[in-house]
Tab-separated table of all heavy atoms in Angstrom:
chain	number	residue	atom	x	y	z
A	1	LYS	N	-7.366	-7.453	-10.545
A	1	LYS	CA	-7.580	-6.587	-9.383
A	1	LYS	C	-6.222	-6.132	-8.863
A	1	LYS	O	-5.413	-6.937	-8.411
A	1	LYS	CB	-8.348	-7.317	-8.286
A	1	LYS	CG	-8.649	-6.432	-7.072
A	1	LYS	CD	-9.465	-7.176	-6.022
A	1	LYS	CE	-9.801	-6.277	-4.841
A	1	LYS	NZ	-10.603	-6.991	-3.823
A	2	VAL	N	-5.978	-4.832	-8.953
A	2	VAL	CA	-4.704	-4.252	-8.527
A	2	VAL	C	-4.830	-3.802	-7.077
A	2	VAL	O	-5.783	-3.095	-6.715
A	2	VAL	CB	-4.315	-3.060	-9.418
A	2	VAL	CG1	-2.981	-2.473	-8.974
A	2	VAL	CG2	-4.253	-3.484	-10.884
A	3	LYS	N	-3.845	-4.196	-6.252
A	3	LYS	CA	-3.840	-3.815	-4.837
A	3	LYS	C	-2.487	-3.196	-4.497
A	3	LYS	O	-1.446	-3.802	-4.712
A	3	LYS	CB	-4.091	-5.040	-3.956
A	3	LYS	CG	-4.069	-4.744	-2.461
A	3	LYS	CD	-4.291	-6.014	-1.656
A	3	LYS	CE	-4.215	-5.756	-0.157
A	3	LYS	NZ	-4.386	-7.013	0.630
A	4	LEU	N	-2.526	-1.953	-3.974
A	4	LEU	CA	-1.309	-1.240	-3.591
A	4	LEU	C	-1.322	-0.970	-2.095
A	4	LEU	O	-2.365	-0.649	-1.514
A	4	LEU	CB	-1.212	0.095	-4.332
A	4	LEU	CG	-1.343	0.110	-5.854
A	4	LEU	CD1	-1.321	1.539	-6.364
A	4	LEU	CD2	-0.223	-0.682	-6.480
A	5	THR	N	-0.156	-1.068	-1.487
A	5	THR	CA	0.021	-0.661	-0.094
A	5	THR	C	1.054	0.456	-0.076
A	5	THR	O	2.126	0.322	-0.681
A	5	THR	CB	0.504	-1.822	0.784
A	5	THR	OG1	-0.439	-2.898	0.701
A	5	THR	CG2	0.640	-1.395	2.238
A	6	THR	N	0.728	1.562	0.569
A	6	THR	CA	1.618	2.720	0.586
A	6	THR	C	2.275	2.887	1.946
A	6	THR	O	1.886	2.258	2.939
A	6	THR	CB	0.841	4.002	0.229
A	6	THR	OG1	-0.201	4.208	1.193
A	6	THR	CG2	0.236	3.878	-1.155
A	7	ASN	N	3.269	3.760	1.969
A	7	ASN	CA	4.042	3.982	3.200
A	7	ASN	C	3.333	4.884	4.194
A	7	ASN	O	3.781	5.045	5.324
A	7	ASN	CB	5.402	4.578	2.843
A	7	ASN	CG	5.256	5.922	2.135
A	7	ASN	OD1	4.287	6.149	1.429
A	7	ASN	ND2	6.229	6.808	2.318
A	8	LYS	N	2.238	5.500	3.784
A	8	LYS	CA	1.539	6.442	4.667
A	8	LYS	C	0.081	6.533	4.228
A	8	LYS	O	-0.301	6.036	3.159
A	8	LYS	CB	2.201	7.819	4.604
A	8	LYS	CG	2.175	8.424	3.225
A	8	LYS	CD	3.087	9.646	3.117
A	8	LYS	CE	2.748	10.707	4.119
A	8	LYS	NZ	3.581	11.904	3.992
A	9	ALA	N	-0.706	7.174	5.049
A	9	ALA	CA	-2.127	7.333	4.742
A	9	ALA	C	-2.312	8.202	3.499
A	9	ALA	O	-1.600	9.190	3.295
A	9	ALA	CB	-2.865	7.936	5.935
A	10	ILE	N	-3.264	7.814	2.673
A	10	ILE	CA	-3.494	8.466	1.394
A	10	ILE	C	-4.852	9.169	1.401
A	10	ILE	O	-5.854	8.619	1.871
A	10	ILE	CB	-3.424	7.444	0.248
A	10	ILE	CG1	-2.040	6.802	0.185
A	10	ILE	CG2	-3.781	8.091	-1.082
A	10	ILE	CD1	-0.914	7.779	-0.077
A	11	GLN	N	-4.864	10.393	0.862
A	11	GLN	CA	-6.118	11.139	0.748
A	11	GLN	C	-6.870	10.728	-0.511
A	11	GLN	O	-8.064	10.422	-0.453
A	11	GLN	CB	-5.810	12.642	0.714
A	11	GLN	CG	-7.029	13.521	0.653
A	11	GLN	CD	-6.634	14.993	0.631
A	11	GLN	OE1	-7.358	15.835	0.115
A	11	GLN	NE2	-5.486	15.329	1.199
A	12	THR	N	-6.172	10.714	-1.653
A	12	THR	CA	-6.764	10.245	-2.905
A	12	THR	C	-5.707	9.491	-3.705
A	12	THR	O	-4.506	9.783	-3.620
A	12	THR	CB	-7.292	11.412	-3.774
A	12	THR	OG1	-6.210	12.284	-4.109
A	12	THR	CG2	-8.396	12.168	-3.074
A	13	ALA	N	-6.165	8.521	-4.503
A	13	ALA	CA	-5.295	7.764	-5.407
A	13	ALA	C	-5.971	7.764	-6.768
A	13	ALA	O	-6.997	7.110	-6.961
A	13	ALA	CB	-5.072	6.347	-4.901
A	14	THR	N	-5.407	8.508	-7.709
A	14	THR	CA	-5.994	8.636	-9.045
A	14	THR	C	-5.411	7.576	-9.962
A	14	THR	O	-4.194	7.510	-10.159
A	14	THR	CB	-5.726	10.030	-9.626
A	14	THR	OG1	-6.239	11.014	-8.716
A	14	THR	CG2	-6.407	10.185	-10.981
A	15	PHE	N	-6.296	6.749	-10.499
A	15	PHE	CA	-5.898	5.636	-11.372
A	15	PHE	C	-6.241	6.017	-12.805
A	15	PHE	O	-7.411	6.251	-13.133
A	15	PHE	CB	-6.656	4.370	-10.951
A	15	PHE	CG	-6.290	3.134	-11.723
A	15	PHE	CD1	-5.280	2.298	-11.289
A	15	PHE	CD2	-6.975	2.798	-12.887
A	15	PHE	CE1	-4.946	1.155	-11.992
A	15	PHE	CE2	-6.644	1.661	-13.602
A	15	PHE	CZ	-5.628	0.837	-13.153
A	16	ALA	N	-5.226	6.121	-13.674
A	16	ALA	CA	-5.430	6.506	-15.069
A	16	ALA	C	-5.073	5.334	-15.968
A	16	ALA	O	-3.943	4.837	-15.942
A	16	ALA	CB	-4.589	7.727	-15.421
A	17	LEU	N	-6.047	4.901	-16.777
A	17	LEU	CA	-5.884	3.737	-17.641
A	17	LEU	C	-5.858	4.174	-19.095
A	17	LEU	O	-6.712	4.937	-19.546
A	17	LEU	CB	-7.040	2.753	-17.409
A	17	LEU	CG	-7.105	1.506	-18.296
A	17	LEU	CD1	-5.921	0.596	-18.031
A	17	LEU	CD2	-8.409	0.758	-18.041
A	18	LYS	N	-4.872	3.673	-19.845
A	18	LYS	CA	-4.794	3.973	-21.268
A	18	LYS	C	-4.556	2.678	-22.030
A	18	LYS	O	-3.523	2.041	-21.891
A	18	LYS	CB	-3.672	4.965	-21.574
A	18	LYS	CG	-3.650	5.406	-23.039
A	18	LYS	CD	-2.644	6.505	-23.280
A	18	LYS	CE	-2.706	6.987	-24.726
A	18	LYS	NZ	-1.746	8.078	-24.999
A	19	MET	N	-5.552	2.280	-22.830
A	19	MET	CA	-5.466	1.068	-23.638
A	19	MET	C	-5.107	1.423	-25.077
A	19	MET	O	-5.518	2.468	-25.591
A	19	MET	CB	-6.802	0.306	-23.615
A	19	MET	CG	-7.146	-0.293	-22.263
A	19	MET	SD	-6.113	-1.699	-21.848
A	19	MET	CE	-7.026	-2.371	-20.455
A	20	ASP	N	-4.341	0.538	-25.715
A	20	ASP	CA	-3.981	0.740	-27.116
A	20	ASP	C	-5.113	0.270	-28.020
A	20	ASP	O	-4.972	-0.648	-28.824
A	20	ASP	CB	-2.693	-0.016	-27.455
A	20	ASP	CG	-1.501	0.526	-26.683
A	20	ASP	OD1	-1.585	1.675	-26.225
A	20	ASP	OD2	-0.505	-0.193	-26.534
A	21	VAL	N	-6.258	0.917	-27.879
A	21	VAL	CA	-7.429	0.608	-28.697
A	21	VAL	C	-7.594	1.724	-29.701
A	21	VAL	O	-7.519	2.910	-29.353
A	21	VAL	CB	-8.698	0.470	-27.836
A	21	VAL	CG1	-9.901	0.188	-28.715
A	21	VAL	CG2	-8.517	-0.622	-26.800
A	22	LYS	N	-7.815	1.350	-30.966
A	22	LYS	CA	-7.937	2.353	-32.021
A	22	LYS	C	-9.111	3.272	-31.732
A	22	LYS	O	-10.247	2.824	-31.612
A	22	LYS	CB	-8.134	1.673	-33.372
A	22	LYS	CG	-8.139	2.641	-34.540
A	22	LYS	CD	-8.265	1.902	-35.857
A	22	LYS	CE	-8.263	2.868	-37.029
A	22	LYS	NZ	-8.407	2.162	-38.329
A	23	PRO	N	-8.854	4.588	-31.595
A	23	PRO	CA	-9.955	5.519	-31.314
A	23	PRO	C	-10.877	5.677	-32.510
A	23	PRO	O	-10.470	5.488	-33.651
A	23	PRO	CB	-9.225	6.835	-31.006
A	23	PRO	CG	-7.927	6.719	-31.744
A	23	PRO	CD	-7.562	5.254	-31.710
A	24	GLU	N	-12.130	6.003	-32.240
A	24	GLU	CA	-13.107	6.201	-33.305
A	24	GLU	C	-13.008	7.625	-33.854
A	24	GLU	O	-12.719	8.579	-33.123
A	24	GLU	CB	-14.516	5.931	-32.780
A	24	GLU	CG	-14.733	4.478	-32.350
A	24	GLU	CD	-16.153	4.237	-31.894
A	24	GLU	OE1	-16.949	5.203	-31.933
A	24	GLU	OE2	-16.462	3.107	-31.492
A	25	LYS	N	-13.234	7.768	-35.156
A	25	LYS	CA	-13.270	9.068	-35.827
A	25	LYS	C	-11.983	9.857	-35.602
A	25	LYS	O	-12.001	11.077	-35.401
A	25	LYS	CB	-14.475	9.872	-35.350
A	25	LYS	CG	-15.817	9.202	-35.643
A	25	LYS	CD	-16.965	10.049	-35.164
A	25	LYS	CE	-18.303	9.359	-35.438
A	25	LYS	NZ	-19.460	10.152	-34.955
A	26	ASP	N	-10.851	9.133	-35.583
A	26	ASP	CA	-9.535	9.769	-35.477
A	26	ASP	C	-9.389	10.642	-34.238
A	26	ASP	O	-8.618	11.609	-34.210
A	26	ASP	CB	-9.238	10.614	-36.726
A	26	ASP	CG	-9.195	9.766	-37.979
A	26	ASP	OD1	-8.764	8.607	-37.868
A	26	ASP	OD2	-9.584	10.262	-39.048
A	27	GLU	N	-10.123	10.308	-33.192
A	27	GLU	CA	-9.996	11.058	-31.957
A	27	GLU	C	-8.856	10.485	-31.129
A	27	GLU	O	-8.608	9.284	-31.126
A	27	GLU	CB	-11.303	11.003	-31.152
A	27	GLU	CG	-12.478	11.668	-31.853
A	27	GLU	CD	-13.751	11.515	-31.046
A	27	GLU	OE1	-13.704	10.803	-30.029
A	27	GLU	OE2	-14.778	12.102	-31.426
A	28	THR	N	-8.162	11.377	-30.414
A	28	THR	CA	-7.064	10.930	-29.561
A	28	THR	C	-7.630	10.312	-28.296
A	28	THR	O	-8.489	10.891	-27.631
A	28	THR	CB	-6.152	12.116	-29.193
A	28	THR	OG1	-5.662	12.705	-30.394
A	28	THR	CG2	-4.987	11.640	-28.338
A	29	GLN	N	-7.123	9.127	-27.976
A	29	GLN	CA	-7.634	8.438	-26.792
A	29	GLN	C	-7.033	9.049	-25.530
A	29	GLN	O	-5.811	9.169	-25.400
A	29	GLN	CB	-7.294	6.950	-26.853
A	29	GLN	CG	-7.869	6.172	-25.681
A	29	GLN	CD	-7.283	4.776	-25.598
A	29	GLN	OE1	-6.165	4.553	-26.027
A	29	GLN	NE2	-8.017	3.856	-25.027
A	30	GLU	N	-7.865	9.463	-24.620
A	30	GLU	CA	-7.397	10.018	-23.361
A	30	GLU	C	-7.496	8.950	-22.267
A	30	GLU	O	-8.414	8.132	-22.271
A	30	GLU	CB	-8.247	11.236	-22.969
A	30	GLU	CG	-8.136	12.402	-23.939
A	30	GLU	CD	-6.743	12.990	-23.985
A	30	GLU	OE1	-6.022	12.851	-22.974
A	30	GLU	OE2	-6.378	13.570	-25.022
A	31	PRO	N	-6.550	8.959	-21.332
A	31	PRO	CA	-6.625	7.979	-20.247
A	31	PRO	C	-7.915	8.143	-19.451
A	31	PRO	O	-8.367	9.261	-19.205
A	31	PRO	CB	-5.397	8.322	-19.380
A	31	PRO	CG	-4.473	9.081	-20.293
A	31	PRO	CD	-5.369	9.821	-21.240
A	32	ALA	N	-8.507	7.017	-19.073
A	32	ALA	CA	-9.723	7.036	-18.254
A	32	ALA	C	-9.308	7.077	-16.787
A	32	ALA	O	-8.693	6.145	-16.276
A	32	ALA	CB	-10.569	5.805	-18.541
A	33	SER	N	-9.605	8.178	-16.114
A	33	SER	CA	-9.186	8.368	-14.726
A	33	SER	C	-10.308	7.998	-13.770
A	33	SER	O	-11.455	8.416	-13.961
A	33	SER	CB	-8.747	9.818	-14.483
A	33	SER	OG	-7.619	10.134	-15.269
A	34	THR	N	-9.969	7.239	-12.765
A	34	THR	CA	-10.911	6.889	-11.707
A	34	THR	C	-10.174	6.968	-10.373
A	34	THR	O	-8.940	7.060	-10.327
A	34	THR	CB	-11.468	5.465	-11.883
A	34	THR	OG1	-10.373	4.524	-11.913
A	34	THR	CG2	-12.262	5.339	-13.180
A	35	GLN	N	-10.939	6.936	-9.301
A	35	GLN	CA	-10.346	6.953	-7.968
A	35	GLN	C	-10.312	5.541	-7.402
A	35	GLN	O	-11.310	4.824	-7.445
A	35	GLN	CB	-11.151	7.871	-7.033
A	35	GLN	CG	-11.135	9.332	-7.439
A	35	GLN	CD	-9.741	9.917	-7.459
A	35	GLN	OE1	-8.958	9.721	-6.526
A	35	GLN	NE2	-9.416	10.647	-8.533
A	36	MET	N	-9.144	5.152	-6.908
A	36	MET	CA	-9.015	3.834	-6.294
A	36	MET	C	-9.721	3.828	-4.944
A	36	MET	O	-9.850	4.865	-4.276
A	36	MET	CB	-7.541	3.460	-6.128
A	36	MET	CG	-6.750	3.408	-7.432
A	36	MET	SD	-5.030	2.843	-7.223
A	36	MET	CE	-5.289	1.078	-6.903
A	37	VAL	N	-10.186	2.652	-4.558
A	37	VAL	CA	-10.835	2.490	-3.252
A	37	VAL	C	-9.747	2.436	-2.185
A	37	VAL	O	-8.768	1.689	-2.315
A	37	VAL	CB	-11.685	1.208	-3.224
A	37	VAL	CG1	-12.287	1.009	-1.838
A	37	VAL	CG2	-12.771	1.275	-4.281
A	38	ILE	N	-9.907	3.249	-1.130
A	38	ILE	CA	-8.908	3.315	-0.057
A	38	ILE	C	-9.491	2.668	1.194
A	38	ILE	O	-10.598	2.992	1.626
A	38	ILE	CB	-8.519	4.770	0.246
A	38	ILE	CG1	-7.975	5.442	-1.014
A	38	ILE	CG2	-7.483	4.830	1.365
A	38	ILE	CD1	-7.688	6.919	-0.841
A	39	SER	N	-8.739	1.745	1.779
A	39	SER	CA	-9.144	1.119	3.038
A	39	SER	C	-7.963	1.133	4.000
A	39	SER	O	-6.798	1.047	3.570
A	39	SER	CB	-9.632	-0.315	2.810
A	39	SER	OG	-8.634	-1.096	2.180
A	40	ASP	N	-8.263	1.256	5.282
A	40	ASP	CA	-7.230	1.320	6.336
A	40	ASP	C	-6.217	2.430	6.070
A	40	ASP	O	-5.065	2.347	6.518
A	40	ASP	CB	-6.503	-0.023	6.470
A	40	ASP	CG	-7.422	-1.144	6.921
A	40	ASP	OD1	-8.411	-0.834	7.615
A	40	ASP	OD2	-7.174	-2.310	6.572
A	41	GLY	N	-6.607	3.433	5.322
A	41	GLY	CA	-5.742	4.580	5.115
A	41	GLY	C	-4.710	4.436	4.019
A	41	GLY	O	-4.433	5.384	3.284
A	42	ASN	N	-4.123	3.243	3.877
A	42	ASN	CA	-3.004	3.097	2.935
A	42	ASN	C	-3.100	1.848	2.053
A	42	ASN	O	-2.101	1.432	1.462
A	42	ASN	CB	-1.681	3.069	3.696
A	42	ASN	CG	-1.516	1.815	4.545
A	42	ASN	OD1	-2.513	1.221	4.981
A	42	ASN	ND2	-0.282	1.424	4.782
A	43	ILE	N	-4.276	1.245	1.964
A	43	ILE	CA	-4.463	0.086	1.069
A	43	ILE	C	-5.408	0.521	-0.045
A	43	ILE	O	-6.551	0.921	0.204
A	43	ILE	CB	-5.023	-1.127	1.820
A	43	ILE	CG1	-4.025	-1.588	2.903
A	43	ILE	CG2	-5.309	-2.269	0.843
A	43	ILE	CD1	-4.508	-2.744	3.737
């Protein structure tokens, strides 16, 4: 569980994950992007 605290209030935090897992059918693996949960504005 990753927890970040920022210096100011955040509107969105885009989390992009890229694992070194062999892609199927020679496809290029793209990072999986999700939005982090924001609480108290900057956590």
